[in-house]
């Protein structure tokens, strides 16, 4: 048991070095000339992009806050904002994607007077609500544009893709069902038994949260939905600054589509190249095929992302300085 802290330090060091390497690779692919040209075109209007992301991150924090139910008063909102931002940033440069960031949330919340089961439940519920609210918004945007005759989902989502997605979802459902329903013998399958127990605990916590705190659940879902809507204003603002006449719903569809593309390439640290592909696909979907515009939009979005990565590093330094990690 005495050696365990030593191994934990080694793992932390390896993860830190790997993240720094991936971050360096991320910075290397950013073209400073393209960024300067794009910033020169939009000028001070880029401040509106930063403002929209601040509001979106704040709404996401409020959504997570309500997932703590009665324990939310134990965590200062500004601390929760910083923790969430640090961990979402870690998720960008982690091969485990958001799973690695969510695990870090549990670690960073240890010094606060909130029970471990409550913390774990809040992290899981917040992630599920973020995914569900995002899917709902994407479906609403697709349905709206389809009814308006502006797009044909069959063009970019053929029947084969639907079948593949359905098979993947069904397979995951069957795996989870087997883990929960099958009677694994602890002696023969200790690891599978532990996984089953964890799934059962999570399931019971989710059911308890749903039954005991429907108001908090509804408010969390509302704030996460607003988080996505406000975050999608980035596309709207950027394209408006470049002189394109688009609606807020256009921006919502663009942002939701890019997020889906990024989710598909979540295993790529920093989504290097994946986000640019998403930008190109979604811009062409709404009838914008200008290559210079695509490059400028991608450059501005990467610039915004890099700024918040640096802010995340400052937030993380704050927690280290205060010695609040692992205390």
């Amino acid at each position: 048991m005495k050696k365990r802290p030593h191994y934990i330090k080694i793992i932390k060091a390896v993860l830190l070095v790997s993240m720094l390497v991936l971050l360096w690779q991320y910075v290397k692919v950013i073209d400073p000339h393209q960024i300067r040209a794009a910033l020169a075109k939009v000028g001070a209007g880029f401040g509106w992009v930063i403002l929209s992301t601040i509001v979106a991150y704040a709404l996401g924090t409020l959504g997570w806050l309500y997932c703590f139910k009665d324990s939310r008063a134990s965590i200062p909102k500004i601390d929760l904002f910083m923790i969430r931002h640090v961990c979402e940033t870690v998720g960008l440069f982690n091969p485990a994607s958001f799973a690695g960031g969510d695990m870090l949330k549990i670690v960073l919340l240890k010094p606060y007077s909130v029970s471990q089961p409550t913390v774990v439940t809040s992290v899981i519920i917040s992630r599920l609500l973020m995914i569900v609210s995002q899917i709902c918004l994407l479906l609403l945007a697709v349905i709206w544009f389809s009814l308006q005759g502006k797009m044909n989902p069959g063009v970019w989502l053929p029947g084969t893709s639907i079948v593949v997605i359905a098979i993947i979802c069904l397979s995951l459902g069957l795996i989870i069902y087997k883990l929960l329903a099958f009677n694994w013998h602890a002696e023969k399958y200790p690891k599978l038994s532990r996984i089953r127990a964890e799934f059962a605990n999570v399931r019971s916590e989710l059911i308890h949260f749903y039954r005991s705190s429907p108001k908090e659940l509804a408010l969390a879902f509302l704030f996460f939905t607003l988080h996505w809507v406000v975050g999608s204003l980035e596309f709207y603002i950027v394209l408006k600054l470049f002189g394109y006449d688009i609606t807020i719903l256009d921006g919502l569809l663009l942002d939701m589509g890019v997020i889906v593309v990024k989710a598909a390439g979540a295993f790529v640290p920093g989504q290097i190249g994946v986000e640019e592909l998403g930008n190109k696909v979604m811009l062409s979907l709404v009838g914008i095929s200008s290559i210079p515009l695509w490059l400028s939009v991608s450059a501005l979005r990467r610039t915004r992302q890099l700024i918040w990565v640096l802010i995340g590093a400052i937030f993380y330094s704050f927690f280290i300085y205060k010695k609040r990690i692992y205390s």
Side-chain angles (χ1 to χ4, degrees):
M1 295 296 292
K2 293 181 179 179
K3 292 184 178 181
R4 187 173 180 182
H6 175 68
Y7 287 116
I8 291 177
K9 290 180 180 179
I10 293 176
I11 293 172
K12 286 170 57 182
V14 171
L15 288 174
L16 178 60
V17 171
S18 63
M19 285 184 60
L20 290 175
V21 171
L22 293 172
L23 179 58
W24 172 243
Q25 293 296 323
Y26 171 81
V27 173
K28 280 175 62 178
V29 302
I30 298 178
D31 185 355
H33 302 291
Q34 189 69 45
I35 289 176
R36 282 197 296 267
L39 289 174
K41 290 179 183 178
V42 300
F46 185 68
W48 289 106
V49 175
I50 299 299
L51 179 61
S52 68
T53 52
I54 293 175
V55 176
Y57 293 162
L59 289 168
T61 303
L62 287 174
W64 187 20
L65 183 68
Y66 277 97
C67 294
F68 286 90
K69 298 191 295 184
D70 298 334
S71 301
R72 57 182 179 272
S74 303
I75 308 173
K77 293 183 180 65
I78 186 64
D79 285 18
L80 197 66
F81 178 90
M82 289 191 291
I83 289 172
R84 182 181 182 275
H85 180 63
V86 167
C87 297
E88 293 296 323
T89 303
V90 168
L92 280 175
F93 303 99
N94 191 314
S97 189
F98 66 83
D102 285 350
M103 290 177 65
L104 183 59
K105 289 177 184 177
I106 297 171
V107 173
L108 292 179
L109 284 169
K110 281 184 178 180
Y112 299 90
S113 55
V114 182
S115 66
Q116 189 77 351
T118 300
V119 171
V120 174
T121 301
S122 74
V123 171
I124 295 173
I125 291 178
S126 64
R127 182 58 62 185
L128 290 175
L129 289 178
M130 284 190 69
I131 294 172
V132 172
S133 59
Q134 176 190 343
I135 292 173
C136 289
L137 284 173
L138 177 61
L139 291 175
L140 286 174
V142 170
I143 291 171
W144 171 258
F145 277 89
S146 299
L147 293 175
Q148 296 296 313
K150 294 184 179 181
M151 60 181 292
N152 180 10
V155 173
W156 55 277
L157 188 62
T160 305
S161 300
I162 297 176
V163 173
V164 171
I165 293 172
I167 291 174
I168 293 173
C169 293
L170 182 61
S171 300
L172 290 174
L174 287 174
I175 291 172
I176 294 174
Y177 172 77
K178 281 290 185 182
L179 286 171
L180 290 174
F182 193 77
N183 185 23
W184 300 99
H185 297 287
E187 297 80 7
K188 294 178 65 176
Y189 309 101
K191 291 184 179 180
L192 290 175
S193 296
R194 284 197 297 269
I195 293 174
R196 180 180 182 274
E198 289 296 330
F199 268 115
N201 289 336
V202 170
R203 181 173 175 271
S204 62
E205 288 290 341
L206 292 176
I207 293 174
H208 177 71
F209 186 92
Y210 171 75
R211 292 177 176 173
S212 64
S213 308
K215 180 181 177 181
E216 284 79 4
L217 186 67
L219 286 171
F221 183 82
L222 173 64
F223 281 120
F224 282 129
T225 302
L226 292 174
H227 158 76
W228 293 120
V229 172
V230 175
S232 69
L233 291 178
E234 178 185 357
F235 257 119
Y236 173 78
I237 294 169
V238 169
L239 291 175
K240 279 289 188 180
L241 291 173
F242 281 113
Y244 281 80
D245 186 21
I246 70 164
T247 65
I248 293 178
L249 280 174
D250 290 326
L252 178 62
L253 176 66
L254 288 168
D255 195 57
M256 292 296 100
V258 171
I259 289 173
V260 170
V261 174
K262 288 169 64 178
F267 60 90
V268 180
Q271 282 83 54
I272 298 174
V274 177
E275 181 168 345
E276 286 73 15
L277 174 63
N279 293 338
K280 190 176 190 302
V281 170
M282 296 310 299
L283 286 171
S284 63
L285 190 64
V286 295
I288 301 175
S289 56
S290 171
I291 299 298
L293 176 69
W294 163 53
L295 293 174
S296 297
V297 169
S298 297
L300 287 179
R301 284 170 64 85
R302 284 297 185 187
T303 302
R304 181 266 304 160
Q305 198 174 61
L306 184 59
I307 289 172
W308 281 104
V309 166
L310 294 175
I311 293 174
I314 294 172
F315 288 167
Y316 188 66
S317 300
F318 167 80
F319 284 104
I320 292 178
Y321 178 75
K322 293 293 185 178
K323 297 182 179 179
R324 302 181 74 168
I325 304 177
Y326 306 116
S327 62

